[in-house]
């Protein structure tokens, strides 16, 4: 591209180069997560829910997603639930719930968690909602462990 200034008679050549090869998808995922975080933060500031457990779950999902984008295989192996490794990695019974493979999974999962979770938390209270979430999470991982298949 050449830019020509109005008040001068010289041209300025601008070279536009493609993005360097590398992990460009990580940049896009992180950008999308950041914009989604800003959008949810704006909604939260406007709505100001009294109960914020769903928001904390959302924040943990975003943190796990950012970790996942950096090294998907390592993060999935460490925090995912694998029935064959359930007793050696007991945290997987809960942490699998926070893993998302892509930005759309994060968006829709967090959106549903925020909408439904906030409504349940407002109706039941923080303690009952957290207990419900934990029972549902453990129920999914325990049934997957009994069947020998990973949840999801």
């Amino acid at each position: 591209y050449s830019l020509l200034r109005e008040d001068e008679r010289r041209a300025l050549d601008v070279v536009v180069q493609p993005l360097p090869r590398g992990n460009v998808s990580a940049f896009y995922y992180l950008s999308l997560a950041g914009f989604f975080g800003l959008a949810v933060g704006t909604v939260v500031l406007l709505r100001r829910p009294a109960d914020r457990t769903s928001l904390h779950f959302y924040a943990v999902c975003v943190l796990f997603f950012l970790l996942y984008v950096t090294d998907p295989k390592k993060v999935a192996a460490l925090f995912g639930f694998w029935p064959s490794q359930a007793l050696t990695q007991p945290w997987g019974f809960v942490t699998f719930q926070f893993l998302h493979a892509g930005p759309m999974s994060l968006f829709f999962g967090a959106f549903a968690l925020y909408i439904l979770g906030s409504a349940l938390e407002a109706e039941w209270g923080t303690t009952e909602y957290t207990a419900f979430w934990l029972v549902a999470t453990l129920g999914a991982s325990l049934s997957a462990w009994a069947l020998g298949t990973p949840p999801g």
Side-chain angles (χ1 to χ4, degrees):
Y1 293 100
S2 293
L3 300 176
L4 186 60
R5 293 189 174 186
E6 192 174 313
D7 57 339
E8 297 181 17
R9 290 187 179 229
R10 66 183 177 116
L12 176 64
D13 290 326
V14 178
V15 179
V16 178
Q17 297 178 350
L19 290 172
R21 296 241 181 236
N23 200 356
V24 178
S25 61
F27 168 76
Y28 291 123
Y29 287 145
L30 293 173
S31 299
L32 182 64
F35 286 125
F36 181 65
L38 288 174
V40 170
T42 303
V43 170
V44 169
L45 286 177
L46 295 175
R47 187 168 169 230
R48 296 240 184 228
D51 307 311
R52 298 187 180 193
T53 303
S54 295
L55 227 61
H56 294 131
F57 287 151
Y58 162 72
V60 174
C61 285
V62 170
L63 289 175
F64 271 84
F65 180 72
L66 294 177
L67 281 174
Y68 184 82
V69 168
T70 59
D71 192 355
K73 288 182 182 180
K74 189 174 185 178
V75 172
L78 184 61
F79 294 112
F81 178 74
W82 307 105
S84 61
Q85 299 173 343
L87 297 179
T88 57
Q89 293 180 336
W91 56 85
F93 282 99
V94 175
T95 56
F96 82 92
Q97 190 72 283
F98 300 113
L99 292 178
H100 296 276
M104 296 309 285
S105 171
L106 175 67
F107 174 79
F108 287 111
F111 187 68
L113 177 69
Y114 179 71
I115 298 298
L116 299 173
S118 295
L120 289 175
E121 188 177 7
E123 184 70 27
W124 295 346
T126 301
T127 305
E128 288 83 3
Y129 171 67
T130 305
F132 170 76
W133 180 88
L134 191 58
V135 166
T137 298
L138 290 175
S141 55
L142 287 172
S143 64
W145 189 31
L147 296 173
T149 57

